[in-house]
Amino acid sequence: MGVWFNFFVATFAAIGSFLFGYDSGIIGSVISPNFKQFHIYFKDPNDNTLGAVVSTFAGGCFFGAMAAGWLADRVGRKRTIQIGSLVAVFGTALQTGARNIGMLMGGRVVAGLAVGVLSMIVPLYQSEISPPHLRGFLTGMTQFMIGLGFFVANWVGYGCQYLDNDAQWRVPLGIQIIPAILLFLGMFGLPFSPRWLIEKGRNEEALAVVHLLHDNATNSEFIESEFNKMLEQIKYEKSHMSSKISDLWATKPMLKRTLTGMAVQICTQFTGINVSTYFQPSLYAALGYSGNTILLITGINGALGQVVTLVFIYFILDRVGRRLPLIVGAFGMAACLSIEAAINARFPGETSTNKSAQQAGVAFIILFGSLFFSTSFGPVSWVYQSEIFPMRIRAIGTSVSTMSNWAINVMISQISPLGLNRLGWKFYLVFICTNLANALIVIFFFPETKGKTLEEMDAVFGDQVIDHAAEANYNKKVGLDEKEESIENVENVRDVQDVERTT
């Protein structure tokens, strides 16, 4: 079936990421002042309670990501996605049928567990089923679907605000049960990860899946080469290496992989994107906007972000690599926030009538998220963390990286309301500094991974080099020059390793 089936599988699995975006996005509308029925039903909960409703979700995500690493190795990537979707159904039901604020928060925790599982496992599954030249695009579908979830949530919230009963908040919370059920049932028809099948000794099934995903009737040599690489790499790892969590820091190269995976997710949170996402109404209100106009601007922002993300992952990411977009994005976001801070300081929304300044403020909020974030840390963070770890600890490493994301998410969700209320425009200065730091971290510490197979990441990080895994790739007469170049690369890495052992 080839590339179109591969695209379908990666996109369908990303329904789990849609749930991530929708659940994260819809709660902002539900707890907003526009949803009067919510505040009436729950007897006007105070700001601390509303903050807890938001942050308990992120706390659940942290523990869900933790559990996903264990599940992914034992029951497989495919079944872990299904488990996450079932938990999402339960969490949605609790939220939709909530009779009191405690039940609502319980539903948010359960939904967070589901999203934590799915946010970790979906990009991992996508990376393991993708060919090297399309991995950025197919794994980048994670961010596209997260954004699509936010986009749909914005417009559902915009429409449901006009309902005049409990359906005003129950309907938008309940809608997410539909994609959760669809994901659970649909995954029965999708393949297991071929690399997980090989790890479990199901080699014939794995080969059939590789053909199903990548065969286009003219690339049989590539299929055999790719499968041999997987087979030899995983066989060697199982025979000679462990798969303990301590392996994440057991050697310098493995520690570098772990810190890089965690760093890309921590840096993503320190871009300030979730301040922009969760508190967009407050940002627009600070510029002098109010009422339905705020939700309308939010919806337009979400639509633009989707278009930009799709264009970026399809046309750019696999061509220019991972590092350059991260660097440009970080500097771009710092610039946007600098201008935003200046506008808010010079023309505060509550006193200024300068329409041009207000419009410019909105424009730079949109440029921050829909342009620079959508072409950098948004999609690249999910791609990068899912491709840098060896098979034996890929699930654990991806789990730890995703947990880092949610841990910082909880912290930022808690401090952002205080920062916005007490510091106002000065709160932007924090994220100007963190974005500049993000750019420097990428420049000095992130290696490029564009175009590499998952098995070739060992050489990228100066790690384990498996002789017969490299040789297996060239058993099929792929050309003398290419073979000699590969052998030279392998020998260079061995030389580095010998020096490190000596020192």
Side-chain angles (χ1 to χ4, degrees):
M1 293 186 184
V3 65
W4 286 108
F5 182 68
N6 206 160
F7 171 74
F8 171 77
V9 173
T11 305
F12 189 90
I15 291 175
S17 301
F18 174 88
L19 286 167
F20 171 3
Y22 184 88
D23 202 319
S24 299
I26 198 60
I27 198 63
S29 296
V30 167
I31 68 174
S32 71
N34 288 22
F35 275 61
K36 294 181 174 58
Q37 296 300 320
F38 174 85
H39 292 272
I40 292 172
Y41 188 88
F42 291 107
K43 300 178 175 60
D44 292 321
N46 59 35
D47 289 342
N48 289 334
T49 300
L50 294 178
V53 169
V54 174
S55 62
T56 50
F57 173 79
C61 291
F62 176 87
F63 291 103
M66 181 189 298
W70 183 85
L71 286 170
D73 281 334
R74 281 151 185 81
V75 302
R77 284 57 164 148
K78 171 178 169 176
R79 298 295 183 223
T80 302
I81 291 175
Q82 290 182 298
I83 291 170
S85 61
L86 278 181
V87 177
V89 170
F90 182 49
T92 299
L94 284 174
Q95 291 180 80
T96 307
R99 310 300 297 178
N100 52 60
I101 202 71
M103 185 175 176
L104 177 66
M105 291 174 64
R108 295 289 294 161
V109 171
V110 175
L113 289 171
V115 167
V117 170
L118 294 170
S119 65
M120 173 269 170
I121 195 60
V122 168
L124 176 61
Y125 178 73
Q126 290 168 322
S127 71
E128 290 190 348
I129 65 170
S130 303
H133 67 286
L134 288 176
R135 192 168 60 244
F137 170 51
L138 296 179
T139 310
M141 289 302 296
T142 289
Q143 182 61 33
F144 176 79
M145 294 296 278
I146 291 172
L148 183 61
F150 272 104
F151 173 72
V152 172
N154 288 336
W155 287 104
V156 168
Y158 182 78
C160 287
Q161 68 179 317
Y162 296 107
L163 298 176
D164 197 27
N165 51 48
D166 288 350
Q168 185 186 64
W169 61 273
R170 293 192 191 274
V171 168
L173 289 175
I175 284 175
Q176 57 196 314
I177 202 168
I178 299 172
I181 292 174
L182 179 64
L183 180 62
F184 173 74
L185 296 176
M187 285 302 297
F188 281 109
L190 301 190
F192 288 93
S193 161
R195 290 172 169 87
W196 181 79
L197 288 171
I198 291 173
E199 189 177 48
K200 299 303 178 183
R202 297 156 64 174
N203 296 348
E204 292 184 3
E205 290 180 64
L207 180 58
V209 170
V210 173
H211 276 284
L212 189 65
L213 292 170
H214 303 162
D215 195 354
N216 63 10
T218 63
N219 63 343
S220 59
E221 193 172 84
F222 168 77
I223 296 293
E224 292 180 23
S225 170
E226 183 180 35
F227 180 74
N228 284 335
K229 269 187 161 183
M230 296 180 195
L231 187 64
E232 295 298 327
Q233 177 91 8
I234 295 169
K235 177 182 176 182
Y236 183 90
E237 288 185 9
K238 289 182 69 175
S239 300
H240 296 82
M241 299 177 180
S242 64
S243 57
K244 302 177 295 185
I245 191 169
S246 59
D247 291 339
L248 291 174
W249 57 83
T251 64
K252 286 184 178 180
M254 279 307 309
L255 179 61
K256 181 178 180 180
R257 293 195 201 212
T258 303
L259 293 177
T260 303
M262 294 174 64
V264 75
Q265 289 293 357
I266 292 170
C267 289
T268 299
Q269 287 297 318
F270 277 120
T271 62
I273 187 60
N274 277 338
V275 178
S276 173
T277 301
Y278 292 155
F279 303 101
Q280 271 192 83
S282 299
L283 302 184
Y284 297 137
L287 291 167
Y289 291 93
S290 61
N292 295 344
T293 304
I294 288 177
L295 291 179
L296 185 61
I297 296 172
T298 302
I300 293 171
N301 190 7
L304 289 173
Q306 287 305 101
V307 173
V308 173
T309 298
L310 186 59
V311 170
F312 172 71
I313 63 176
Y314 186 76
F315 291 105
I316 299 174
L317 180 54
D318 283 312
R319 289 175 172 83
V320 304
R322 306 347 179 195
R323 279 169 45 86
L324 183 60
L326 292 177
I327 295 167
V328 172
F331 282 128
M333 285 183 279
C336 287
L337 293 175
S338 298
I339 297 171
E340 194 69 36
I343 291 172
N344 278 263
R346 180 68 178 82
F347 305 103
E350 63 272 13
T351 60
S352 175
T353 57
N354 190 318
K355 295 296 182 184
S356 297
Q358 292 175 341
Q359 292 167 359
V362 170
F364 279 100
I365 290 174
I366 292 174
L367 286 173
F368 169 83
S370 292
L371 177 60
F372 289 109
F373 182 79
S374 295
T375 57
S376 61
F377 284 91
V380 175
S381 60
W382 302 112
V383 176
Y384 204 75
Q385 72 156 23
S386 302
E387 65 186 4
I388 63 175
F389 292 100
M391 180 64 194
R392 61 194 172 92
I393 54 169
R394 185 171 295 135
I396 299 173
T398 307
S399 175
V400 169
S401 300
T402 308
M403 288 165 62
S404 302
N405 179 305
W406 289 112
I408 304 301
N409 186 310
V410 172
M411 181 190 74
I412 290 176
S413 297
Q414 289 293 312
I415 67 172
S416 292
L418 297 174
L420 289 169
N421 290 333
R422 296 182 183 181
L423 299 177
W425 65 268
K426 295 178 183 177
F427 192 55
Y428 288 111
L429 301 179
V430 174
F431 294 101
I432 294 170
C433 294
T434 54
N435 273 293
L436 293 175
N438 287 349
L440 294 176
I441 289 169
V442 175
I443 290 170
F444 290 108
F445 299 108
F446 281 31
E448 183 56 71
T449 58
K450 179 191 73 171
K452 303 292 185 182
T453 68
L454 297 182
E455 287 67 39
E456 290 171 338
M457 294 299 166
D458 293 340
V460 171
F461 284 88
D463 201 358
Q464 58 199 32
V465 176
I466 301 170
D467 297 347
H468 46 280
E471 292 165 4
N473 189 34
Y474 298 96
N475 282 344
K476 309 302 177 183
K477 300 180 181 179
V478 297
L480 182 60
D481 292 340
E482 189 176 356
K483 179 177 180 179
E484 289 175 348
E485 181 182 351
S486 175
I487 292 173
E488 182 180 351
N489 289 339
V490 169
E491 289 175 348
N492 288 341
V493 174
R494 287 201 197 106
D495 291 341
V496 172
Q497 291 177 321
D498 290 339
V499 171
E500 289 182 346
R501 292 191 193 99
T502 303
T503 57

